[in-house]
Amino acid sequence: MFEMNFGAESLEIQLQRDGLSEAYAENLRRATAYATELAETGLLPFAKQSSEGPELTDVATAATHIRAGFKHLIVLGTGGSSLGAQAAIAISRYLPDHVAGTNTHIHTPDSLCPFEMDRLFAALEPAKTHVLAISKSGTTAETLAQLLACRAWLETKVSGDALGAHFTFITEPGERPLRTYGEKLGSPILDHPTDVGGRFSVLTTVGMLPVAVSGLSAAKFRKGAEDVSSDFCENPGASAAVVGAALTHTLHQHKSVTQVLLMPYAEALRAFTRWHGQLWAESLGKDGLGTTPIRAIGPVDQHSQLQLFLDGPNDKFCTFVTVPSLGEGPRIDPAEAKSYGLDYMAGRTIGDTVTCQSRATQETLRGKGRMVRELVIDRLSEENLGGLFVSFMLETVVTAHLMGVNAFDQPAVEEGKILTRQYLADL
């Protein structure tokens, strides 16, 4: 699925040099024990989404309806109800064997913005647009506001009897505003699992329906996640999730590392860094604790953030995600390169350049005393991305355990939601 490495020197040598061997060994023991406990109790629900789950039939049916009848799909959701799907479908245009049988363009206005909604409505045709509204609780204010606006816009061109076919809903079972709304419209409603939180929901119907509409395979995403989950259960002490959690906590405790950097060298994974940022921040930032996620993309952020990473505070644990790309992409004409004194580029491909840049950046960071981990996936695929999703979710949960916080709640944000409703009522 993917391999993990720490450069020319082994992790053990680096830890010994930094005086962290004993502390890391203890945290790895604790992390492994917790992972073993999770495995013995059947893992957490987000890591048990089956590639043969019966709900995938409902996903396929809904996706077929959307793809057959609509040119555009607007996905309404914020945070975990949108970021996972965005990260998943982003790889579709990079897969050479991707089934290009969908003419449905997916739009994800995940941040409530009046100007974005105006722009979207001006650009799309109501009669050719489907709306997917996602909210676990069914009460998310941003999503409900967008939904009401979308309905009013659709009604300018769509008759009342046909309106229900333009909507699909994903929310928990039970009495809740979003579900009631969908029932009154007579629209399809898919269940959001009650035991999976929004930011952990990418492998559920929440992420898999947009995946299916995009023409990607939901079953393959889940198969990749199943493989990584199996490895986690069978050999937890060697899994990227457990090692990453033990390292993060050790560096935070003993080296004042307060930030975690995720820097893929693959443009297809840009949206993945946004998904990871929410997962990490909202799961771990509690009770005055937590480490701050930083998003970067190589090679472009070598020219914007790398100076800070190299020469600023040594307070970051750096994770690179790379895809082998030697020989990939356009090849630079040798004569043309040499005519401008660019002999080192002559005959090389763009992929050669990116590979060397990633290697050079990692080695330079290590030379500056930074802890750097590289996760290498053999190719961009649904299976590999599904594996990355579940690995980082498991890493987050194990890190929370080591910190002593609950990974699955977010109590601090509730006050803002209450005040927002109050201020709206007072207008």
Side-chain angles (χ1 to χ4, degrees):
M1 185 61 65
F2 53 84
E3 63 181 53
M4 176 173 56
N5 69 68
F6 291 87
E9 290 186 332
S10 69
L11 175 60
E12 289 74 16
I13 292 174
Q14 294 179 59
L15 291 168
Q16 187 175 15
R17 184 182 60 227
D18 293 342
L20 297 175
S21 295
E22 291 186 8
Y24 172 72
E26 173 58 18
N27 282 324
L28 182 62
R29 182 197 65 76
R30 291 178 56 210
T32 302
Y34 181 58
T36 301
E37 179 185 329
L38 291 177
E40 290 174 347
T41 56
L43 277 183
L44 295 159
F46 68 75
K48 296 193 297 183
Q49 302 300 308
S50 171
S51 59
E52 299 179 353
E55 70 279 2
L56 290 186
T57 300
D58 295 332
V59 165
T61 299
T64 298
H65 167 68
I66 294 168
R67 292 173 59 175
F70 301 94
K71 185 177 180 180
H72 299 281
L73 171 65
I74 300 176
V75 180
L76 304 180
T78 192
S81 294
S82 178
L83 290 173
Q86 291 182 50
I89 66 177
I91 68 167
S92 62
R93 58 194 175 123
Y94 296 92
L95 303 187
D97 57 348
H98 175 234
V99 179
T102 177
N103 295 315
T104 304
H105 303 284
I106 302 176
H107 309 270
T108 55
D110 59 344
S111 183
L112 188 62
C113 171
F115 311 110
E116 175 63 14
M117 296 304 293
D118 281 343
R119 184 202 65 80
L120 201 59
F121 291 164
L124 306 184
E125 302 173 70
K128 297 181 180 180
T129 301
H130 193 88
V131 175
L132 169 61
I134 307 171
S135 169
K136 174 179 168 65
S137 67
T139 62
T140 306
E142 295 91 337
T143 303
L144 293 173
Q146 289 178 319
L147 173 62
L148 296 174
C150 282
R151 177 171 182 168
W153 170 69
L154 286 171
E155 286 181 325
T156 62
K157 298 293 183 180
V158 180
S159 65
D161 292 341
L163 193 62
H166 283 255
F167 289 90
T168 299
F169 297 86
I170 299 177
T171 189
E172 286 185 324
E175 188 174 334
R176 53 196 73 249
L178 192 63
R179 197 170 195 96
T180 301
Y181 196 94
E183 289 170 348
K184 289 183 176 180
L185 276 172
S187 303
I189 304 174
L190 280 65
D191 287 338
H192 190 304
T194 59
D195 54 1
V196 178
R199 60 184 174 275
F200 293 91
S201 67
V202 60
L203 295 170
T204 73
T205 53
V206 172
M208 294 301 98
L209 179 50
V211 157
V213 173
S214 77
L216 295 170
S217 169
K220 288 181 179 179
F221 270 94
R222 288 190 172 185
K223 181 59 172 63
E226 286 175 338
D227 291 343
V228 169
S229 294
S230 294
D231 290 342
F232 177 86
C233 292
E234 293 168 7
N235 191 14
S239 74
V242 170
V243 171
L247 261 179
T248 300
H249 195 55
T250 301
L251 293 169
H252 180 59
Q253 283 181 312
H254 300 280
K255 289 293 183 179
S256 300
V257 168
T258 59
Q259 301 174 64
V260 292
L261 166 66
L262 181 63
M263 189 171 181
Y265 269 70
E267 188 63 32
L269 298 178
R270 181 182 289 272
F272 187 90
T273 67
R274 292 187 66 217
W275 169 83
H276 176 264
Q278 187 217 354
L279 173 73
W280 192 265
E282 202 165 54
S283 298
L284 303 180
K286 293 156 193 175
D287 302 328
L289 302 172
T291 50
T292 302
I294 301 176
R295 305 192 301 267
I297 290 288
V300 63
D301 280 317
Q302 293 177 192
H303 302 274
S304 59
Q305 299 187 68
L306 185 58
Q307 172 64 34
L308 172 66
F309 303 158
L310 286 169
D311 215 23
N314 188 0
D315 58 358
K316 299 166 188 68
F317 173 36
C318 309
T319 296
F320 286 71
V321 182
T322 61
V323 183
S325 58
L326 284 174
E328 299 292 336
R331 190 173 296 276
I332 298 168
D333 180 78
E336 185 76 2
K338 290 178 181 179
S339 70
Y340 289 97
L342 302 174
D343 296 45
Y344 66 94
M345 288 188 180
R348 304 302 183 193
T349 69
I350 297 299
D352 296 340
T353 302
V354 172
T355 299
C356 292
Q357 287 176 313
S358 170
R359 178 182 174 187
T361 300
Q362 293 180 56
E363 290 182 359
T364 306
L365 283 163
R366 291 188 182 102
K368 289 281 189 176
R370 275 56 173 167
M371 180 62 75
V372 178
R373 168 182 64 164
E374 181 184 23
L375 301 179
V376 184
I377 59 176
D378 57 12
R379 63 190 177 95
L380 286 173
S381 68
E382 295 106 312
E383 294 92 340
N384 283 341
L385 191 53
L388 282 177
F389 276 131
V390 81
S391 182
F392 277 106
M393 287 190 282
L394 287 167
E395 181 172 312
T396 301
V397 170
V398 176
T399 303
H401 173 77
L402 295 177
M403 291 171 53
V405 300
N406 180 357
F408 303 106
D409 65 357
Q410 53 278 339
V413 302
E414 296 305 318
E415 182 179 354
K417 294 180 181 179
I418 294 170
L419 285 175
T420 297
R421 296 187 188 104
Q422 176 185 321
Y423 295 157
L424 281 168
D426 291 343
L427 282 178

